Amino acid sequence: MEWQRDILGEEFESYAFSAVGDDAVERTATLVRFRPAHQESGQRESSQEPVASTKPRRAVLFLHGWSDYFFNVDLARFWSSAGYDFYALDMHNHGRSLRPGSPGGYVSDLADYDAEIETAYRLIGQEGAAAPLTLMGHSTGGLVAALWASRHPGAVSQLILNSPWLEMHGSALVRRAAYGMVGPVARFRPEAVLRLPPRGFYWRTISSAAEGEWALDDQYRPPMAFPVRAGWLSAVLAGHARVARGLNLEVPVLVLLSRGSANGLFWSEEMRRTDAVLDVNVIAARALTLGRTVTVERIDGALHDVFLSQAAVRADAYERLARWLVAYGGTA
């Protein structure tokens, strides 16, 4: 592997690779790793060669949401301070893995991500990480992570979901109605763009180019998100249906959510303190179908990505994650 200096600076490196799915299609994904300048003895001290150690290192792999990419350096530093090697995957048609002419954010089956996630796991293992690994996902990436863990029993030691998109707004009835409308289009014109109202409210709350504090690359994360295509929405709805039937995960699961939602068609000041994307009450209820040991943390004032909220709120989120790791992750 030839790691390259990443867009996030000298402590981050990235590696683009190809993975062939069960459908025989080759797709490009990009693995990002965090290598802090100062690490404890027994961990990697340079970006090239591992320090000799007889003890495998714990590692975590992060999956971003739809129309997104990995950029949260504070999240990487948290995991490093907790004793984990941190990795993130920019999945195909997203972020660092975007290629000219490709439909940004598009996937016709969430299982199409399996090959690149499995390749990322293999690459992380080659770097000396202990198996099984910790898997973390945000929003649609949380849905992908939960489904992947259910299809790969034993590959994950713990699952952390940050505002996972586990169900449509309202209820399963809304999902079934939506599938009834989009399903026929997805079968015959999967890449057809659906005419939906553009909404950049969440971007407005997080981007330093608007009213937030995070420097986002609009090429990787467009303010209005990528176009919603019929095949992609059909794939997500199918994933929701699978979660609704129950995933029976045996590993401990942590679900972090905002206390409230404000996802109307018009801007409101509540969007600065709530999830402006998902119906968090529906997600909280659906989370209980994931497995036998599920912890749901509701965080006052949190945004859709709880770790991009205002400083005091995200500090609360990190404290809750750290407390959960003491109980389920073996972190002192």
Side-chain angles (χ1 to χ4, degrees):
M1 289 186 293
E2 295 185 7
W3 292 90
Q4 307 294 325
R5 178 165 174 165
D6 188 61
I7 58 175
L8 296 178
E10 62 181 10
E11 292 186 312
F12 291 87
E13 295 176 319
S14 58
Y15 173 67
F17 63 89
S18 295
V20 179
D22 291 340
D23 56 2
V25 175
E26 183 176 293
R27 299 178 177 91
T28 298
T30 307
L31 187 63
V32 180
R33 70 180 183 184
F34 176 55
R35 289 294 179 263
H38 303 287
Q39 291 185 315
E40 296 178 0
S41 176
Q43 289 186 310
R44 196 181 302 265
E45 293 180 347
S46 73
S47 62
Q48 301 300 323
E49 298 297 334
V51 177
S53 174
T54 58
K55 184 178 180 181
R57 301 182 302 279
R58 293 175 296 186
V60 57
L61 176 63
F62 172 78
L63 304 181
H64 58 78
W66 180 68
S67 196
D68 208 346
Y69 70 110
F70 171 68
F71 61 87
N72 190 344
V73 299
D74 290 346
L75 182 66
R77 293 188 176 114
F78 167 85
W79 280 106
S80 181
S81 67
Y84 292 73
D85 281 352
F86 178 86
Y87 296 84
L89 184 66
D90 273 15
M91 295 178 283
H92 72 268
N93 289 342
H94 285 87
R96 298 163 178 82
S97 304
L98 282 168
R99 296 296 180 267
S102 64
Y106 182 72
V107 68
S108 62
D109 186 333
L110 297 183
D112 288 347
Y113 292 124
D114 282 18
E116 58 211 71
I117 297 173
E118 291 163 16
T119 300
Y121 262 55
R122 177 175 56 79
L123 295 174
I124 294 169
Q126 289 176 0
E127 297 214 314
L133 304 182
T134 295
L135 187 59
M136 182 178 191
H138 166 60
S139 196
T140 309
L143 174 62
V144 172
L147 294 171
W148 191 88
S150 73
R151 289 192 294 267
H152 298 79
V156 174
S157 61
Q158 52 199 2
L159 182 64
I160 297 99
L161 305 178
N162 171 7
S163 301
W165 192 14
L166 303 178
E167 184 58 278
M168 286 292 288
H169 295 66
S171 69
L173 293 176
V174 176
R175 165 170 42 84
R176 295 188 189 106
Y179 187 79
M181 291 185 289
V182 77
V185 181
R187 282 193 293 274
F188 297 105
R189 298 175 56 215
E191 293 192 24
V193 175
L194 302 179
R195 294 181 177 273
L196 299 175
R199 292 170 58 195
F201 302 145
Y202 173 55
W203 176 88
R204 173 176 171 177
T205 64
I206 64 173
S207 175
S208 58
E211 299 168 29
E213 59 179 286
W214 302 92
L216 306 179
D217 189 321
D218 289 352
Q219 176 184 350
Y220 294 160
R221 194 193 189 290
M224 297 297 173
F226 294 122
V228 175
R229 300 178 187 273
W232 171 81
L233 184 54
S234 177
V236 170
L237 294 172
H240 291 167
R242 178 66 188 89
V243 172
R245 293 193 294 271
L247 297 187
N248 299 316
L249 295 173
E250 293 292 334
V251 299
V253 181
L254 172 64
V255 178
L256 298 152
L257 295 168
S258 177
R259 176 76 75 174
S261 295
N263 42 38
L265 294 176
F266 302 98
W267 169 261
S268 73
E269 288 301 308
E270 279 297 301
M271 292 176 175
R272 301 184 192 278
R273 301 177 293 276
T274 56
D275 190 321
V277 179
L278 301 180
D279 183 335
V280 293
N281 290 330
V282 170
I283 302 302
R286 183 61 74 216
L288 301 181
T289 68
L290 293 174
R292 303 201 310 171
T293 307
V294 179
T295 304
V296 178
E297 292 278 5
R298 303 292 294 271
I299 302 169
D300 287 329
L303 299 176
H304 176 51
D305 185 334
V306 301
F307 297 111
L308 300 183
S309 306
Q310 294 182 6
V313 177
R314 63 179 182 263
D316 181 22
Y318 280 120
E319 287 177 7
R320 291 168 186 266
L321 173 54
R323 181 177 62 198
W324 185 86
L325 286 174
V326 169
Y328 293 106
T331 301

